[in-house]
Amino acid sequence: MTWWYWMVLGLALLGAEMTTPGGFYILFFGLAALIVGTLAGLDAVQTAWVQWLLFSLVAVASLLVFRGPLL
């Protein structure tokens, strides 16, 4: 995927988080999409499967690490 697809997805997910009642689930997926979009824009990750793998790993890891303290 191109970098701006990831940015649009990240912003859409962050917007969805703001419109849903608390829970802080979608927030981490939005942030992960923005991180992957930034890395794709810098040509640090180029293949689609690596981007999706990185998105999944960053989203789940940040969800497990940061959701508890935010609540």
Side-chain angles (χ1 to χ4, degrees), residues 3-67:
W3 66 272
W4 62 273
Y5 286 160
W6 286 108
M7 294 300 194
V8 170
L9 177 64
L11 293 175
L13 288 170
L14 291 178
E17 176 66 44
M18 293 186 343
T19 61
T20 58
F24 291 119
Y25 288 107
I26 305 172
L27 170 73
F28 300 106
F29 291 95
L31 291 175
L34 291 175
I35 290 169
V36 172
T38 302
L39 291 174
L42 296 172
D43 289 330
V45 288
Q46 295 178 352
T47 57
W49 71 270
V50 174
Q51 291 176 5
W52 281 103
L53 179 66
L54 184 62
F55 170 72
S56 302
L57 292 175
V58 169
V60 171
S62 63
L63 181 70
L64 293 173
V65 171
F66 295 118
R67 185 174 180 269

